[in-house]
Amino acid sequence: MKIGVLTGGGDCPGLNAVIRGVVKASLQRGWEVCGIEDGFDGLLHPEKCRPLTLEDVRGILPRGGTILGTTNRGNPFSYPLMRDGKVELVDVSGEVVSRIRQLGISALVVIGGDGSLKIALDLMRRGVPIVGVPKTIDNDLCGTDVTFGYNTAVQTATDALDRLHSTAESHHRVMILEVMGRYAGWIALESGIAGGADVILIPEIPYDIEKVCGAIVKRGKAGRRFSVIVTAEGAFPKGGDRVVKEAAGGRSVVERLGGVGELISRELGRFLEMDVRVTVLGHLQRGGTPTTFDRVLGSRFGVKAVELLAEGAFGQMACLRGREIASFPIEDAVGRLNVVDPQGEMVRQAEALGIMLGR
Ligand code: F6P
């Protein structure tokens, strides 16, 4: 049996642990593994498919990124091709399916988030047997308690908050940290709790800037002359919209967010006398070595993907349920988001800790 493995969408700490898990578990069964570079894009270019051996995955556990490369622009059902000087979106999925057959690949492991897993489902419908592995630092994918990469991102954001705390306190300033999280505020919420933030703003709870100011003023009256705010990039004011940096449709398939930290800073400036500074953590959250948790989760997901292939459980993805690795239908995982429940336990606990959630 020869299987293919690819990583799609944005990169994420722990991708290499998954690839290594897939390769090791497959080789033990006497299978061959074909590594496909740059997501589904690799299936359109013969030179982007190569055998993966033990030698290829040696020493990659602590490495960030993906040894296979990735892209969030290679959807074969809507592939950008230059025609008459204009970019046209063309369905090249037929070519992808024949390439998979030509390569002698009998099944694919797709490691990706919502977008890549949706493409995987569509390819399944065209007859390609696939299993999935859920990936995203945002932790917004349904069907698994947690995605790999998320833990590392939260750790990076927490480290940043720790550093911002000391400078906020020294200068008696308001420090705003903008973290990733387009539609889900998990990174902001958990890093905010871990890093002792005073205010946490998430997309699930549109914020009221006057109340945010009120919380900072109240802290000042209690002798706390600084405040630390962590905001998800997708947070937005009550009655307002997300801050979009680049609209979808150009080089970017989905709209790029960014800038809410600056917006909050300007809004605070209207009410407060204090200095406000903004730090945008950006792709630092996606890069670098994965935490122990993500290395273990990624490795277990990789092994599980191979077990699912062996069972013929196509259309399933590996998932974490409690402490166990299990499986979940990709079909039920995609197209809806795992977001923070504004009335849920974690939000209530954060508020019980005295953290202001913007409402
Ligand atoms: O979905 C993961 C994510 O990191 C989001 O949090 C963020 O908005 C987006 O990817 C950034 O994507 P890009 O690398 O294309 O700028």
Side-chain angles (χ1 to χ4, degrees), residues 72 137-138 180-182 233 256 283 286:
N72 34 24
I137 64 159
D138 290 2
M180 282 187 171
R182 300 172 64 80
E233 62 184 349
R256 288 179 60 213
H283 290 79
R286 290 239 300 258

